[in-house]
């Protein structure tokens, strides 16, 4: 698309009414003789945001028209005029010449009104055997499906960036943390691979939701179906759906697909926020594990020495928008009786905002991961504090002298305490000090107290050993990319 319809020209008159239009909205039929109050028009109109559905709306209308013609419900001449008119409208929206009118409420009525201007009375035949209820349900499913595909592709790009860094740093040692306290030595590559797996689950949730949403509501009409001899399977196939939805009431009232997209998006946003938080921590002077270039940092208006990881901080904060969108739509839907209620007009803005937020967030995360420079020496230096090989000592006491693990755990704790008293690492304690606490210790124990040896020894599947990390990177490339 060459233009964003959000920036197309506004409504014709100052109050948003279409030029020459007065009184009741002609699209409502003869039931109404008066027009809506100005505030009613403002609260009722959705064109400011649902114009984003224009491509999906036109695609669904074309599929519906072709089905009506094949079923003999609309003549081939009228069908050809409708299809030509819809193509013209699509071009107008894309080139910015289409005038959206608030008085026509939504994208569906705006398209239909313009179609009537282009081809006359034949335009009115397009709405045969459908309602705005099944129309918007179809359009919105198509939009969420497209958004899911775009987000999945972006996540694959983020995984690729993480895999490149993990592969380059499969053997770069750093402290691993629990409770943000140094725990055991790991590799930087192994740490990054955790995010690859998290994002893999995010992609799985999106794919699962996409599979479930891929049923076509078109033809359900307002809520009860239609008496016209339509072919719902034909329109479903034309729009790339797996099947028509099975129940007409559920078809127009279901927004599970939007909730699932937001739910998957909220979990993804939390994952991105955790990554962003770690980048913020790693960039701090207390850690100094990574550095970001000027491309992803900002300065201070008063402190010239500052270089702040603002991209990561903003990424961390934006998770709240997606989580809020999920909460918002859950609250909208929680008390609605079947089938359709106007409340459901509030379904789109949270989804649109979440999709935009996630697209930008994933792009920012990908850029930062590719930009960050690991400070290898700082990571290595940090492994010299925190007694990171204490678990290796306990394991050695189980394997060699044959102590029960609980006894080995207590002995190791006492050794760590003694090292703290002497202000040294456990690997620096003399053998006599070690044997004073556990007589079964021999000089062979020093072999397992090396940071590199500790990392290399964790060669179980999914472990931090460099060879295992390299294998995991190769397997992830095969699985995800």
């Amino acid at each position: 698309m060459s233009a964003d319809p959000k920036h197309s020209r506004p409504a014709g008159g100052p109050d948003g009414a279409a030029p020459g239009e007065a009184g009741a909205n002609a699209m409502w039929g003869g039931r109404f003789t008066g027009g809506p109050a100005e505030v009613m028009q403002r609260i009722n109109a959705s064109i400011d945001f649902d114009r984003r559905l224009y491509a999906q709306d036109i695609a669904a209308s074309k599929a519906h028209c072709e089905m009506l013609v094949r079923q003999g419900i609309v003549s081939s001449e009228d069908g050809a005029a409708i299809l030509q008119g819809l193509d013209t409208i699509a071009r107008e929206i894309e080139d910015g010449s289409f005038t959206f009118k608030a008085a026509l409420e939504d994208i569906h009525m705006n398209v239909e009104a313009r179609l009537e201007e282009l081809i006359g009375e034949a335009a009115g035949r397009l709405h045969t055997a459908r309602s705005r209820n099944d129309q918007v349900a179809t359009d919105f499913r198509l939009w969420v499906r497209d958004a899911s595909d775009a987000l999945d592709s972006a996540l694959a790009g983020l995984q690729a960036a993480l895999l490149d860094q993990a592969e380059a740093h499969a053997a770069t040692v750093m402290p691993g943390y629990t409770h943000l306290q140094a725990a055991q030595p790991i590799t930087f590559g192994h740490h990054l691979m955790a995010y690859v797996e998290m994002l893999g689950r995010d992609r799985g949730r999106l794919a699962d939701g996409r599979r479930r949403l891929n049923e076509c509501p078109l033809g359900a009409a307002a809520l009860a179906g239609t008496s016209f001899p339509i072919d719902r399977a034909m329109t479903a196939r034309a729009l790339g759906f797996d099947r028509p939805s099975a129940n007409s009431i559920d078809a127009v009232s279901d927004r599970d697909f939007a909730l699932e997209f937001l739910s998957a998006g909220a979990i993804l946003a939390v994952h991105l926020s955790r990554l962003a938080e770690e980048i913020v921590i790693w960039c701090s002077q207390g850690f100094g594990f990574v550095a970001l270039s000027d491309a992803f940092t900002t300065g201070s208006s008063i402190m010239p020495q500052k270089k702040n990881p603002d991209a990561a901080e903003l990424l961390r904060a934006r998770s709240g928008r997606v989580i809020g969108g999920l909460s918002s739509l859950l609250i909208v839907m929680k008390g609605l009786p079947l089938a359709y209620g106007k409340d459901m007009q509030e379904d789109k803005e949270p989804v649109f905002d979440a999709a935009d937020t996630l697209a930008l967030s994933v792009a920012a995360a990908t850029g930062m991961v590719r930009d960050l420079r690991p400070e290898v020496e700082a990571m290595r230096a940090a492994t010299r504090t925190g007694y990171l090989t204490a678990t290796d000592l306990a394991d050695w006491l189980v394997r060699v002298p044959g102590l029960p693990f609980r006894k080995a755990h207590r002995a190791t704790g006492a050794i760590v305490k003694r090292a703290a008293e002497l202000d040294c690492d456990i690997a620096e304690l003399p053998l006599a000090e070690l044997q004073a606490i556990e007589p079964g210790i021999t000089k062979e124990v020093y072999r397992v107290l090396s940071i590199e040896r500790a990392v290399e020894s964790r060669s179980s599947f999914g472990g931090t050993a460099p060879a295992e990390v390299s294998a995991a990177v190769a397997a992830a490339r095969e699985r995800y990319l």
Side-chain angles (χ1 to χ4, degrees), residues 155 157-159 161-163 165 188 191-196 198-199 202 267-283 290 292 309 311-317 319 361-370 372:
L155 287 174
L158 176 52
Q159 284 180 305
L162 287 163
L163 286 167
Q165 286 279 18
F188 186 57
H191 194 112
L192 294 180
M193 287 300 293
Y195 286 103
V196 172
M198 291 158 72
L199 296 172
D202 291 322
I267 297 171
L268 165 59
V270 168
H271 290 162
L272 295 175
S273 181
R274 295 181 76 178
L275 173 61
E277 169 69 0
E278 296 212 285
I279 291 174
V280 170
I281 291 172
W282 291 339
C283 284
V290 303
L292 290 170
E313 292 173 8
L314 290 166
L315 177 58
R316 183 175 59 186
S319 61
S361 296
V362 172
T366 303
M368 280 190 292
V369 168
R370 292 207 175 277
L372 66 83

Side-chain angles (χ1 to χ4, degrees), residues 18-157:
E21 200 171 67
N25 189 321
M27 293 293 174
W28 293 350
R31 176 65 177 85
F32 290 79
T33 56
E38 187 273 337
V39 70
M40 174 60 186
Q41 180 170 289
R42 284 195 288 123
I43 197 172
N44 190 50
S46 59
I47 189 59
D48 284 347
F49 53 87
D50 70 15
R51 64 181 66 183
R52 291 182 66 160
L53 300 175
Y54 83 92
Q56 291 78 18
D57 190 71
I58 290 172
S61 289
K62 290 174 71 174
H64 185 66
C65 175
E66 289 166 352
M67 181 274 295
L68 292 176
V69 169
R70 200 181 78 169
Q71 295 299 104
I73 300 169
V74 169
S75 70
S76 58
E77 292 79 13
D78 283 347
I82 290 169
L83 293 174
Q84 185 176 3
L86 290 171
D87 285 338
T88 297
I89 292 169
R91 288 193 297 271
E92 289 177 349
I93 294 175
E94 289 172 2
D95 68 22
S97 64
F98 188 92
T99 299
F100 292 98
K101 300 172 184 177
L104 294 173
E105 296 185 15
D106 56 33
I107 186 61
H108 322 298
M109 284 186 166
N110 270 266
V111 169
E112 186 173 334
R114 178 59 178 149
L115 186 63
E116 185 175 5
E117 291 175 356
L118 290 170
I119 69 171
E121 189 175 74
R125 303 192 185 281
L126 176 59
H127 209 55
T128 306
R130 77 175 184 185
S131 160
R132 280 194 296 175
N133 294 356
D134 63 336
Q135 193 176 357
V136 69
T138 302
D139 295 354
F140 198 22
R141 280 178 186 258
L142 288 170
W143 194 94
V144 172
R145 191 176 71 184
D146 291 343
S148 297
D149 291 344
L151 186 53
D152 178 77
S153 178
L155 287 174

Side-chain angles (χ1 to χ4, degrees), residues 98-379:
F98 188 92
T99 299
F100 292 98
K101 300 172 184 177
L104 294 173
E105 296 185 15
D106 56 33
I107 186 61
H108 322 298
M109 284 186 166
N110 270 266
V111 169
E112 186 173 334
R114 178 59 178 149
L115 186 63
E116 185 175 5
E117 291 175 356
L118 290 170
I119 69 171
E121 189 175 74
R125 303 192 185 281
L126 176 59
H127 209 55
T128 306
R130 77 175 184 185
S131 160
R132 280 194 296 175
N133 294 356
D134 63 336
Q135 193 176 357
V136 69
T138 302
D139 295 354
F140 198 22
R141 280 178 186 258
L142 288 170
W143 194 94
V144 172
R145 191 176 71 184
D146 291 343
S148 297
D149 291 344
L151 186 53
D152 178 77
S153 178
L155 287 174
L158 176 52
Q159 284 180 305
L162 287 163
L163 286 167
D164 287 345
Q165 286 279 18
E167 186 172 39
H169 294 280
T172 298
V173 295
M174 66 175 288
Y177 296 87
T178 63
H179 310 278
L180 207 56
Q181 302 293 313
Q184 292 180 322
I186 60 170
T187 71
F188 186 57
H190 187 56
H191 194 112
L192 294 180
M193 287 300 293
Y195 286 103
V196 172
E197 294 304 316
M198 291 158 72
L199 296 172
R201 292 192 296 275
D202 291 322
R203 293 179 66 190
R205 277 182 283 270
L206 286 169
D208 193 42
R210 188 195 192 284
R211 176 184 58 79
R212 225 179 336 270
L213 75 77
N214 211 35
E215 296 182 349
C216 185
L218 197 57
L223 79 160
T226 177
S227 59
F228 288 95
I230 62 172
D231 184 348
R232 293 190 62 206
M234 177 183 172
T235 48
R237 284 193 303 271
L239 295 170
F241 288 107
D242 294 331
R243 64 191 70 84
S245 51
N247 181 277
S248 60
I249 296 175
D250 180 59
V252 299
S253 60
D254 167 50
R255 291 299 183 271
D256 288 1
F257 63 93
L259 288 169
E260 286 197 68
F261 179 80
L262 287 171
S263 179
I267 297 171
L268 165 59
V270 168
H271 290 162
L272 295 175
S273 181
R274 295 181 76 178
L275 173 61
E277 169 69 0
E278 296 212 285
I279 291 174
V280 170
I281 291 172
W282 291 339
C283 284
S284 69
Q285 280 79 10
F287 281 74
F289 287 179
V290 303
L292 290 170
S293 76
D294 294 353
F296 290 93
T297 55
T298 64
S300 165
S301 64
I302 189 172
M303 296 171 285
Q305 83 279 12
K306 294 295 293 297
K307 191 172 185 181
N308 302 319
D310 280 5
E313 292 173 8
L314 290 166
L315 177 58
R316 183 175 59 186
R318 283 174 178 262
S319 61
R321 297 174 64 136
V322 185
I323 296 166
L326 172 61
S327 297
S328 174
L329 187 52
L330 284 168
I331 293 167
V332 167
M333 297 301 298
K334 71 174 180 63
L336 292 187
L338 300 177
Y340 181 84
K342 193 71 169 183
D343 316 53
M344 292 164 68
Q345 184 168 288
E346 294 296 309
D347 58 359
K348 294 168 200 65
E349 288 185 284
V351 173
F352 292 160
D353 185 72
D356 291 344
T357 298
L358 290 168
L360 181 57
S361 296
V362 172
T366 303
M368 280 190 292
V369 168
R370 292 207 175 277
D371 181 75
L372 66 83
R373 183 183 74 250
E375 300 289 1
V376 176
E377 290 306 315
M379 291 184 185

Side-chain angles (χ1 to χ4, degrees), residues 376-435:
V376 176
E377 290 306 315
M379 291 184 185
R380 180 66 180 82
T383 65
R384 290 193 281 270
T385 60
Y387 311 106
L388 299 188
T389 57
T391 304
D392 299 88
L393 172 57
D395 289 346
W396 184 88
L397 290 171
V398 171
R399 281 197 309 269
V400 181
L403 273 63
F405 182 78
R406 285 303 168 199
K407 185 176 180 181
H409 188 284
R410 286 193 296 271
T412 301
I415 289 170
V416 168
K417 181 180 179 183
R418 182 58 177 158
E421 291 169 350
L422 297 177
D423 193 24
C424 68
D425 189 64
I426 56 177
E428 297 170 336
L429 282 173
L431 182 59
E433 291 281 356
L434 297 174
Q435 290 176 333

